Amino acid sequence: MGKFGSRSIALRPHLNITSQKHQAITKYWTGPFRFFDLPPELRDHIIRLLLFDLGAIGRYPTRLFLTCRRIYAEAASIFYDEVFLENINPKGTPDPFLTNSLTWFAPRQYVRNLRIKFDIKDQIHLFGEFYGTALNEMAEEGNLQRLQLEIENCFPSCEFWGYEDDLSTYGNILVPGGRGKGTVISGPLFITRTPFQSFLKFLDDSQIPKITLLVDARDHAKFWCPFHRVHSRGRKCDGQWKGGARLLRISCSNLVKALRGARAMGPVDDC
């Protein structure tokens, strides 16, 4: 008796060794949950689950934005961190996402990375009339850090448009040069017009930390060759782009330096 494995030990009644202290630990907390006492990284993770995991909050994750102003700001910074705008509005109409007032609840205030795809013929004027001011506001008063601009259509030409207009007409152009002198080149007159010059002004004066300009690589030899970035392997293009990408990255500084202030002069030639 009393030895390990003996009948007396085997038949001892079950002892309740759970203390009152242990029982208290198993009770659930019924008080308020102080969400903002959590570290920012943990709050970020929770909000991402609520916004992008449909199973976490049901069919309407946007209800989170109606909670309070502080949660709206944190959720909007995640939800609108990266935005892509493809201008499909009628000719000459700005996208309302960029033109609404920059209030604390305006979505564009929380955009960190913005990508805009636009038509050079019908929409480039928007940067001088609307977008320039709006985008600089987003950088100075909001979260905007990176802007990627994509010119989607081919370079204007008589063959492309099917008719001759101000955008596809070529002529003599005086471009800026050192010591107050300029250089006369033959080029499309649209680069001397207000819409294109306003676009260059925006690129030059912008407060956005990083701007990337991409164009259709098929237009390399037609216009963009002097302004694109050097090939990653140092290859010289010699008028024929060696890269395989569909889009060609343009050096904004080279473009602005070469063409800002360009003006038409002399007789106009057919394209």
Side-chain angles (χ1 to χ4, degrees):
M1 297 294 294
K3 296 182 179 179
F4 180 77
S6 66
R7 181 179 180 87
S8 61
I9 295 179
L11 296 180
R12 285 178 184 174
H14 176 70
L15 299 177
N16 185 6
I17 60 175
T18 304
S19 65
Q20 292 182 353
K21 182 178 180 180
H22 184 270
Q23 290 178 342
I25 295 176
T26 61
K27 293 182 178 180
Y28 295 99
W29 173 253
T30 58
F33 178 70
R34 300 179 62 85
F35 179 73
F36 293 110
D37 286 348
L38 296 174
E41 297 80 5
L42 187 54
R43 296 202 307 269
D44 180 279
H45 182 70
I46 293 173
I47 291 175
R48 286 181 184 277
L49 288 176
L50 295 176
L51 287 176
F52 304 121
D53 184 355
L54 297 181
I57 197 172
R59 297 174 57 190
Y60 307 104
T62 52
R63 289 176 177 172
L64 185 64
F65 292 94
L66 305 177
T67 308
C68 69
R69 181 168 177 170
R70 186 173 175 185
I71 286 186
Y72 178 94
E74 294 198 11
S77 296
I78 297 171
F79 191 77
Y80 296 108
D81 179 75
E82 189 169 350
V83 172
F84 170 51
L85 298 178
E86 183 171 12
N87 208 326
I88 58 176
N89 295 315
K91 179 179 178 180
T93 304
D95 194 308
F97 184 89
L98 295 177
T99 55
N100 291 330
S101 299
L102 193 67
T103 58
W104 68 267
F105 56 85
R108 69 184 179 98
Q109 176 172 326
Y110 302 96
V111 177
R112 183 178 177 84
N113 303 283
L114 179 60
R115 175 186 168 202
I116 303 177
K117 192 175 183 179
F118 66 97
D119 184 295
I120 195 172
K121 179 183 179 184
D122 296 331
Q123 295 161 348
I124 198 170
H125 70 93
L126 296 174
F127 287 88
E129 298 175 7
F130 302 102
Y131 291 170
T133 300
L135 293 169
N136 281 322
E137 280 182 345
M138 293 168 63
E140 295 173 356
E141 304 177 31
N143 296 342
L144 186 60
Q145 295 294 312
R146 297 179 181 85
L147 174 64
Q148 179 171 305
L149 302 173
E150 296 181 16
I151 299 178
E152 63 175 343
N153 58 292
C154 294
F155 180 76
S157 64
C158 293
E159 294 80 8
F160 180 77
W161 299 121
Y163 59 88
E164 184 175 329
D165 61 8
D166 184 59
L167 291 180
S168 59
T169 302
Y170 279 62
N172 293 326
I173 299 173
L174 179 66
V175 296
R179 299 180 181 179
K181 298 180 180 180
T183 303
V184 178
I185 64 171
S186 177
L189 293 180
F190 92 99
I191 67 175
T192 69
R193 306 307 186 200
T194 299
F196 191 81
Q197 287 296 315
S198 296
F199 178 67
L200 296 181
K201 183 178 186 301
F202 162 72
L203 294 179
D204 198 20
D205 300 341
S206 177
Q207 302 301 311
I208 303 171
K210 184 175 182 180
I211 299 180
T212 303
L213 177 61
L214 302 175
V215 301
D216 195 315
R218 292 173 297 178
D219 296 328
H220 165 261
K222 299 177 183 177
F223 181 72
W224 301 109
C225 182
F227 316 114
H228 65 70
R229 295 172 62 89
V230 178
H231 192 278
S232 59
R233 296 183 181 179
R235 301 176 183 174
K236 293 183 178 181
C237 63
D238 296 324
Q240 184 67 37
W241 177 239
K242 308 298 183 181
R246 183 182 64 85
L247 295 174
L248 181 67
R249 187 171 180 177
I250 300 300
S251 170
C252 294
S253 59
N254 289 347
L255 183 67
V256 169
K257 183 179 180 180
L259 298 181
R260 186 174 181 182
R263 56 188 179 88
M265 61 179 299
V268 175
D269 301 327
D270 293 336
C271 60

